Amino acid sequence: MASPTGPGPYMPRPPAVPEWLNTGDNGWQLAAATFVGLQSMPGLVVLYGSIVKKKWAVNSAFMALYAYASTLIVWVLVGFRMAFGDRLLPFWGKAGPALTEGFLVARASVPATAHYGSDGTLVSPRTEPFYPEASMVLFQFELAAITLVLLAGSLLGRMNIKAWMAFTPLWLLFSYTVSAFSLWGGGFLYQWGVIDYSGGYVIHLSSGVAGFTAAYWVGPRLKTDRERFSPNNILLMIAGGGLLWLGWAGFNGGAPYAPNITASVAVLNTNVSAAASLLTWTCLDVIFFGKPSVIGAVQGMMTGLVCITPGAGLVHTWAAILMGICGGSLPWFTMMILHKRSALLQKVDDTLAVFHTHAVAGLLGGLLTGLLATPGLTAVHTHIPGARGAFYGGGIGQVGKQIAGALFVIVWNVVATTVILLGVGLVIPLRMPDEQLKIGDDAAHGEEAYALWGDGERFDVTRHEAARGGVGGGGAWGASVVDEAMDHRLAGMGARGVTIQL
């Protein structure tokens, strides 16, 4: 069959495939972006909606859903170029839209990442992946969105939904873009050589610190909710956690902007670290509390994923096991032991312990990367000549850089989150009133998650009088028989005089 003579979709290189485009790189980046998107939608939406009390299932899931949608609009309007555009300040890029054909179909570029030596000579050119800008915008949006969704975990069960709607775009613009530009977009920490392979600092440390700060300013849940906040569906919680785990392949596998050798190492190390951390957390639960907690296993899985993220494609797999063990033990200690002894940690109501699972684990991973990053893998990924962990000749200097980078992210997030929330609080109350907190989803949205009775309260016979009256007959004697039968049935179901968790 003769080859086509004119332009078309089956030509070797039609007009839609310019010379610089690597279709394999582009395909993987789009797939990686989709994997990361699945972590938020539906992963964390499902996890949040099921890990909370039934009366907060809708509100918790919606906070994640809204954060995801609002981030996308702000991202393409101005956010992307503030994080990955031309340099405006050492820690911030110039704002601008990512909306036009001319911008989106051009080759992706991160202009501020060009690295120059002390004498002004170009050491490494700017980052220019072999796919269009649209793929870069999409992938980086997914990372930005999940940061806000993770932050929401600290505020579940009491934040005014209208305040959350105002907070999310402001935090994206004035906090996330600063961390992203400083560490990834060519800012001063990037140029200095601080290593954050895929977001241990930009995403996890920032979301954990900002979430803890926001929880302080918003205030706590009701006392009854703080004392008893059991999941309404543990099986769905595991399913949401599973989507988070598998989606992390895109999270860390997409970080090199190409399906290269570091991407392969990163995906393997990500899974190994998650498994090691889950097992470590579970074993500690058994040793100290006598039973393996399913919620604890999910938390351990998450801390392993977070801990490996700063160095996923830069360390040996044996080091990933070590990082997983550390990720499953130190956050376990801060959450299960230190938290109970610290007045500050006790005072701040961090609903899902995001500070422990993300801030502590992300900081730990960043420091371990400063020790364990191998010279071969680091040379493939970083622009700084000779960058490596302290155990491979990098000296204490790399660890010092990791500490300094973490301190910048921590301080900026504390200050920015505080200013934003105090500003929002002048217009919208940050916390729902107590009378609405007692009701939950129905007060916040006029909707409830399940057409079922029960949220841990005792059975109220008066709520079921209509159901009783509609069964059987025979006057007073018949009613008493029906009542007795109904009471017997409810008692058999464990619904009379006991507390039910749904």
Side-chain angles (χ1 to χ4, degrees):
M1 180 177 177
S3 300
T5 56
Y10 304 108
M11 292 294 292
R13 297 196 69 84
V17 185
E19 291 296 327
W20 49 261
L21 178 65
N22 184 306
T23 54
D25 286 7
N26 193 39
W28 168 240
Q29 206 63 33
L30 292 173
T34 303
F35 276 122
V36 181
L38 287 172
Q39 291 182 287
S40 299
M41 293 286 301
L44 285 170
V45 170
V46 171
L47 190 148
Y48 284 1
S50 55
I51 202 172
V52 297
K53 291 179 77 170
K54 183 180 77 70
K55 73 173 184 177
W56 289 115
V58 171
N59 182 258
S60 301
F62 181 73
M63 286 180 69
L65 174 64
Y66 177 84
Y68 187 85
S70 66
T71 297
L72 178 55
I73 299 304
V74 177
W75 191 248
V76 296
L77 287 175
V78 292
F80 172 74
R81 294 177 78 166
M82 292 173 71
F84 294 93
D86 295 307
R87 174 175 169 153
L88 174 65
L89 296 170
F91 53 87
W92 229 346
K94 294 180 181 179
L99 296 167
T100 62
E101 175 189 341
F103 178 80
L104 295 174
V105 302
R107 182 175 176 179
S109 174
V110 188
T113 53
H115 182 65
Y116 296 89
S118 57
D119 59 354
T121 59
L122 182 66
V123 175
S124 60
R126 63 185 182 180
T127 301
E128 291 185 311
F130 293 98
Y131 46 73
E133 198 79 60
S135 298
M136 173 75 82
V137 173
L138 178 65
F139 178 75
Q140 292 298 342
F141 148 69
E142 302 290 3
L143 298 184
I146 198 173
T147 308
L148 270 157
V149 175
L150 292 171
L151 192 162
S154 295
L155 305 170
L156 302 181
R158 83 283 200 174
M159 188 172 187
N160 185 338
I161 189 62
K162 295 177 183 177
W164 175 248
M165 292 169 70
F167 171 76
T168 52
L170 294 173
W171 191 85
L172 174 72
L173 292 177
F174 296 106
S175 188
Y176 180 82
T177 58
V178 170
S179 297
F181 184 82
S182 298
L183 282 156
W184 290 343
F188 76 107
L189 295 176
Y190 175 94
Q191 299 293 346
W192 192 33
V194 178
I195 300 174
D196 186 11
Y197 174 83
S198 189
Y201 287 176
V202 175
I203 296 171
H204 301 291
L205 181 59
S206 64
S207 64
V209 170
F212 187 81
T213 305
Y216 172 83
W217 290 111
V218 172
R221 289 166 289 170
L222 292 176
K223 185 174 182 291
T224 53
D225 281 351
R226 292 195 71 178
E227 292 173 348
R228 182 172 188 155
F229 208 68
S230 301
N232 67 83
N233 195 320
I234 288 183
L235 293 181
L236 272 181
M237 180 196 72
I238 297 172
L243 287 169
L244 197 67
W245 183 342
L246 293 181
W248 224 282
F251 202 108
N252 290 344
Y257 301 150
N260 57 23
I261 57 172
T262 58
S264 298
V265 172
V267 173
L268 175 62
N269 285 347
T270 296
N271 285 276
V272 167
S273 177
S277 181
L278 186 154
L279 296 177
T280 301
W281 193 294
T282 300
C283 289
L284 288 172
D285 276 349
V286 171
I287 292 170
F288 287 90
F289 304 119
K291 295 179 180 179
S293 166
V294 177
I295 300 175
V298 172
Q299 290 170 325
M301 172 208 77
M302 194 173 299
T303 55
L305 293 167
V306 172
C307 188
I308 192 62
T309 292
L314 310 178
V315 301
H316 292 294
T317 298
W318 64 260
I321 296 176
L322 176 63
M323 293 176 76
I325 293 172
C326 293
S329 53
L330 183 61
W332 181 92
F333 173 79
T334 63
M335 183 188 299
M336 309 305 294
I337 307 298
L338 182 62
H339 186 97
K340 299 175 182 178
R341 300 178 181 178
S342 169
L344 175 62
L345 294 177
Q346 284 285 310
K347 181 180 179 180
V348 179
D349 182 17
D350 179 1
T351 307
L352 298 186
V354 177
F355 175 79
H356 300 287
T357 56
H358 292 273
V360 173
L363 174 60
L364 176 63
L367 299 180
L368 289 173
T369 298
L371 296 173
L372 299 169
T374 69
L377 291 170
T378 305
V380 175
H381 183 72
T382 186
H383 60 286
I384 302 296
R388 63 192 65 195
F391 290 170
Y392 295 92
I396 198 64
Q398 187 61 51
V399 178
K401 292 178 180 180
Q402 299 300 108
I403 295 173
L407 288 175
F408 173 79
V409 172
I410 291 170
V411 172
W412 185 272
N413 276 277
V414 169
V415 173
T417 304
T418 297
V419 171
I420 293 168
L421 281 172
L422 291 180
V424 171
L426 295 175
V427 182
I428 308 170
L430 298 178
R431 185 175 180 270
M432 294 173 63
D434 283 359
E435 57 270 20
Q436 293 185 14
L437 292 179
K438 293 177 182 178
I439 299 171
D441 288 338
D442 196 29
H445 304 279
E447 300 163 317
E448 293 184 342
Y450 307 111
L452 299 170
W453 164 78
D455 191 31
E457 73 270 24
R458 293 186 180 277
F459 180 66
D460 183 358
V461 177
T462 62
R463 296 172 61 180
H464 296 265
E465 287 298 330
R468 292 174 181 269
V471 181
W477 181 83
S480 64
V481 171
V482 172
D483 286 348
E484 183 178 352
M486 181 69 77
D487 288 341
H488 180 73
R489 181 182 176 191
L490 290 171
M493 294 167 57
R496 185 180 184 188
V498 298
T499 300
I500 296 178
Q501 290 295 316
L502 291 180

